[in-house]
Amino acid sequence: CYLLEREQVSKTTRYCAKNQFVFPEFYGSFYVDCARALWNSIDLMKLKVGVDGISLKEHLKSKGIDRLGLCNPEERPKPGTFELHIKEVEQTFWQKFSAYAKWKDEWYAAYRKQGGFQTLAGFVIQGLYTRNEVINLGVQGVASNCLVWAAIRFQKWLTKEKHKTKIVGLIHDSMLLDVPEKDLTIVLPMAKQIMTQDIRKAWKWLIVPLEVSFEGSPENWHAKKPMRV
């Protein structure tokens, strides 16, 4: 995406950039692994410039990038390789997110010194962890705490109000519900309030606005569509 104007990037290309570069970089990967995964996806997912444009590899070739490279962390990437391009993108990426990059180094250094750490939600974590695990627990671990906190409060409200809505499961950052259709206009606004407002009143360290989106279907998982609440 770095070489393309935003309007020229297809949804599939943007999806690959998000899930094979942005997320991995945030959670401990680096340019060698990202370059290898993205290069393979260009062929596997038939990535193009725009919807009906030329292939992404053709576009890269027009910019002087005609091969992946060795992807050996012991050797410097060569000019004309996709590996070098991703390394340069990575450098720009971390310039933009310099505060987070600094936090990662400080967070991991403190863990090595103390042998453990305490999350913002109050959980104490100790033991042997890799650098990636320590960083993930400090970010995604706290996000998971938020979801569990909201699910507990939401279930207490459902029980108190004697609603028939059921919490089927918590999957990654999502809560899966079975809701009687007549209760949608009551239950979903309460879920939103708990997950975006009540939690910030309880945990003052949440200093950014929180958002939640809803999707639903009266039929099955495949047919679900966005819902406005």
Side-chain angles (χ1 to χ4, degrees), residues 191-201 208-212:
K192 181 176 182 179
Q193 177 182 315
I194 291 172
M195 300 175 94
T196 63
Q197 299 180 42
D198 293 356
I199 191 171
R200 291 189 64 197
K201 294 176 182 178
V208 297
L210 300 178
E211 296 181 0
V212 59

Side-chain angles (χ1 to χ4, degrees), residues 17 23 49 67 83 85 88 94 97 109-110 112 114 124-125 135 148 157-158 168 191:
F23 277 14
V49 178
R67 61 194 186 281
E83 178 188 14
H85 168 61
E88 292 171 347
W94 286 119
F97 296 101
R112 294 192 64 183
Q114 300 166 8
V124 175
I125 300 174
I135 293 168
V148 172
W157 178 81
L158 289 173
V168 178

Side-chain angles (χ1 to χ4, degrees), residues 9-164:
V9 181
S10 69
K11 289 183 178 180
T12 308
T13 303
R14 205 170 300 149
Y15 172 86
C16 290
K18 171 187 171 184
N19 290 284
Q20 294 181 331
F21 180 80
V22 177
F23 277 14
E25 287 281 344
F26 263 126
Y27 296 118
S29 189
F30 73 130
Y31 73 91
V32 170
D33 292 336
C34 291
R36 190 183 296 114
L38 286 166
W39 188 258
N40 290 336
S41 289
I42 293 176
D43 291 330
L44 184 64
M45 304 187 75
K46 297 180 173 58
L47 301 184
K48 297 180 178 181
V49 178
V51 179
D52 300 316
I54 61 173
S55 75
L56 195 51
K57 280 192 177 177
E58 288 183 49
H59 172 77
L60 289 167
K61 190 174 182 179
S62 71
K63 301 293 183 180
I65 301 170
D66 59 4
R67 61 194 186 281
L68 170 60
L70 296 176
C71 289
N72 182 351
E74 301 298 326
E75 297 188 24
R76 291 184 178 181
K78 297 290 193 298
T81 64
F82 188 63
E83 178 188 14
L84 177 61
H85 168 61
I86 295 301
K87 182 178 181 180
E88 292 171 347
V89 173
E90 181 183 74
Q91 291 170 346
T92 301
F93 181 83
W94 286 119
Q95 288 172 1
K96 291 183 177 181
F97 296 101
S98 57
Y100 177 63
K102 181 181 178 183
W103 171 84
K104 289 200 302 181
D105 291 339
E106 292 175 348
W107 181 258
Y108 184 60
Y111 159 74
R112 294 192 64 183
K113 181 179 180 180
Q114 300 166 8
F117 51 88
Q118 182 174 344
T119 70
L120 290 171
F123 288 86
V124 175
I125 300 174
Q126 295 177 319
L128 296 176
Y129 295 97
T130 65
R131 185 176 189 274
N132 287 0
E133 288 172 333
V134 171
I135 293 168
N136 282 340
L137 286 166
V139 180
Q140 291 185 311
V142 175
S144 176
N145 296 155
C146 291
L147 179 59
V148 172
W149 186 97
I152 291 171
R153 270 67 184 180
F154 184 53
Q155 182 59 61
K156 286 182 177 180
W157 178 81
L158 289 173
T159 301
K160 179 182 177 182
E161 299 298 324
K162 299 181 180 180
H163 284 292
K164 293 184 178 180

